[in-house]
Amino acid sequence: MTLAAGRPYLAIPGPSVMPDAVLQAMHRPAPNIYEGAIVDMVRAMIPDLTAVAGTNNKVAIYIANGHGAWEASLSNIASAGEKVLVCITGRFGNGWAEMAEGLGIVADRLDFGKTDGIDAARLEEALRADTNHDYKAVLFSHVDTATSLLNDPRVLRKALDAAGHPALLMADCIASMGCEEFRMDDWGVDVALTGSQKGLMVPPGLSFVFVSPKAEAVRHAMPRVSRYWDWVPRLDAEFFYQFFGGTAPTHHLYGLRAALDLLHGEGMENVWKRHDTLARAIWAACEAWGSGNGALRMNVQDPALRSHAVTALSLGGKDAARLRAWVAENAGVTLGIGLGMETPEDPRGEGYFRIGHMGHLNAHMVLGMLGTVQAGMQAIGVPYGPGALDAAAAITAV
Ligand SMILES: *Cc1c(COP(=O)(O)O)cnc(C)c1O
């Protein structure tokens, strides 16, 4: 017998669960890309897309995953030999820094560890020390998906302003957009980027770079930018929505239209509140499981620094790997692997796992997933504290 038949829940931090409305919108014949409905649809869709980022800025769309957006954003603001400052709070900040180095950009790293988030005073100090203003940008992950740390963009903006440094503030919002409150314009973020497959609930393959006028000016001062990544033609609505720099990603665009309808039908404030409430239900369960002689620990202790889209957890030994295997095989839930959490004692990071709780997600999915995790801990014989499901239900009940 198996209890895994039925609708599966892919509880990893991206790709996320795709809504039926998105899948159905994509299930259609190929359209004419040169004129007609799809061109009009894209033009009309842009304000709905920028509204998700809380911006009146322009957006460049790429047929790429998040790594593409990383490279796109860097290619437009710095040349080989120029410098950026990267705030690292887990695996993903390092990934962006490595992308910069691949372009010959010098990426100075400020590593803040895996549990405490960005120290604004240290950032300010590093910016003040850059008296020549060599740093063209400060890069950070809004949510680092490996550690599940949430970094408040306003804190970084303040540090830049306090240091009087003109660098662009660039936010990786791949794990956060459509999940966490984000207001690009109000919060003074100069470049924000995301991908289609996390909070936006569309298959992987599209990415988006939102560009402020200040960042546009930096691009215009560049001697050259590689043709594919150059955001100038992509920011030009009249050119781009008709031509897309090549064949338009037709079916992804239909899917995105359906996803934006879902987000704005619910309202962005409500979308953020839903993620907040469901995240708190997960944290309450995790705290209860970790009480007494429970083995489970959340990676981030301070709730103000926790992502509402992903939670990184440790279970010790190789028990996280055993738990993931049990819930996948026996209950139809796929949990995320630990990422960037390797230690000498645990060289493959098998003591860690992650729960993705982003995008198309409701209370019954979260409560079902939590019940399943508890069943899994019971089955593999891991000790856990009492009251987790009660605590999660109490949060969803208010
Ligand atoms: C998923 C993710 C990426 C990488 O995106 P890909 O689409 O896998 O290339 C980068 N940064 C963050 C914060 C992410 O969550």
Side-chain angles (χ1 to χ4, degrees):
M1 183 204 70
T2 175
L3 300 175
R7 187 166 278 230
Y9 173 15
L10 184 64
I12 68 173
S16 64
V17 172
M18 286 182 274
D20 288 345
V22 169
L23 294 172
Q24 283 155 9
M26 298 179 76
H27 195 82
R28 65 171 77 201
N32 180 5
I33 55 170
Y34 298 110
E35 59 189 0
I38 195 157
V39 177
D40 297 340
M41 182 187 79
V42 173
R43 187 178 286 114
M45 183 162 73
I46 297 306
D48 292 339
L49 182 59
T50 51
V52 174
T55 186
N56 293 314
N57 292 330
K58 294 180 194 159
V59 59
I61 304 178
Y62 295 90
I63 298 127
N65 60 14
H67 281 66
W70 273 346
E71 183 152 331
S73 60
L74 290 162
S75 299
N76 281 277
I77 62 99
S79 302
E82 294 189 311
K83 280 176 131 182
V84 297
L85 182 62
V86 191
C87 298
I88 295 175
T89 53
R91 179 69 204 110
F92 286 83
N94 262 316
W96 205 1
E98 286 160 7
M99 197 62 79
E101 287 162 346
L103 294 165
I105 299 166
V106 179
D108 283 354
R109 291 165 163 83
L110 282 179
D111 196 327
F112 297 97
K114 293 176 181 174
T115 53
D116 296 331
I118 291 170
D119 174 355
R122 243 184 91 200
L123 171 60
E124 190 184 323
E125 194 186 321
L127 290 168
R128 282 188 193 279
D130 180 33
T131 46
N132 290 333
H133 292 169
D134 285 335
Y135 292 132
K136 295 194 80 178
V138 172
L139 279 49
F140 74 106
S141 314
H142 186 205
V143 164
D144 191 292
T145 323
T147 55
S148 67
L149 274 164
L150 170 70
N151 293 305
D152 186 343
R154 289 164 284 195
V155 170
L156 283 92
R157 178 76 266 163
K158 249 178 140 171
L160 275 154
D161 292 347
H165 200 293
L168 298 170
L169 180 59
M170 310 224 312
D172 172 352
C173 299
I174 297 174
S176 58
M177 197 166 288
C179 307
E180 308 279 358
E181 181 181 7
F182 185 72
R183 303 179 193 274
M184 182 177 187
D185 293 356
D186 294 350
W187 295 357
V189 175
D190 298 303
V191 175
L193 53 92
T194 196
S196 53
Q197 79 274 24
K198 298 189 183 178
L200 297 182
M201 308 177 288
V202 174
L206 284 185
S207 57
F208 311 97
V209 181
F210 301 88
V211 180
S212 69
K214 183 176 167 188
E216 282 191 73
V218 172
R219 157 64 189 94
H220 282 297
M222 295 273 290
R224 67 185 156 80
V225 170
S226 76
R227 264 301 161 93
Y228 187 79
W229 296 126
D230 191 357
W231 66 36
V232 171
R234 290 169 189 269
L235 297 176
D236 175 351
E238 280 321 302
F239 167 78
F240 190 65
Y241 305 146
Q242 289 181 40
F243 184 57
F244 249 93
T247 306
T250 49
H251 287 65
H252 277 71
L253 293 169
Y254 288 123
L256 179 63
R257 173 69 272 174
L260 291 170
D261 286 342
L262 288 173
L263 289 172
H264 292 304
E266 184 178 352
M268 288 315 300
E269 304 265 349
N270 292 329
V271 169
W272 296 331
K273 274 189 203 145
R274 172 167 53 82
H275 280 85
D276 173 72
T277 305
L278 296 176
R280 285 187 293 106
I282 291 168
W283 304 342
C286 293
E287 260 153 30
W289 283 328
S291 66
N293 67 345
L296 190 120
R297 295 282 177 277
M298 277 182 282
N299 182 53
V300 182
Q301 292 308 311
D302 180 352
L305 297 177
R306 285 184 196 146
S307 161
H308 303 88
V310 53
T311 299
L313 300 140
S314 71
L315 208 47
K318 294 186 176 180
D319 287 341
R322 291 172 60 222
L323 176 70
R324 285 194 303 99
W326 191 91
V327 300
E329 278 161 33
N330 296 283
V333 172
T334 303
L335 298 169
I337 57 168
L339 205 60
M341 292 303 197
E342 302 78 11
T343 60
E345 302 80 55
D346 180 14
R348 292 170 60 180
E350 288 167 306
Y352 278 86
F353 69 106
R354 291 175 300 160
I355 299 171
H357 36 103
M358 50 177 57
H360 193 54
L361 189 75
N362 60 23
H364 88 71
M365 292 163 75
V366 165
L367 294 171
M369 177 273 296
L370 293 172
T372 303
V373 168
Q374 182 162 312
M377 289 194 288
Q378 240 175 63
I380 66 170
V382 170
Y384 58 87
L389 302 180
D390 284 342
I395 284 177
T396 53
V398 291

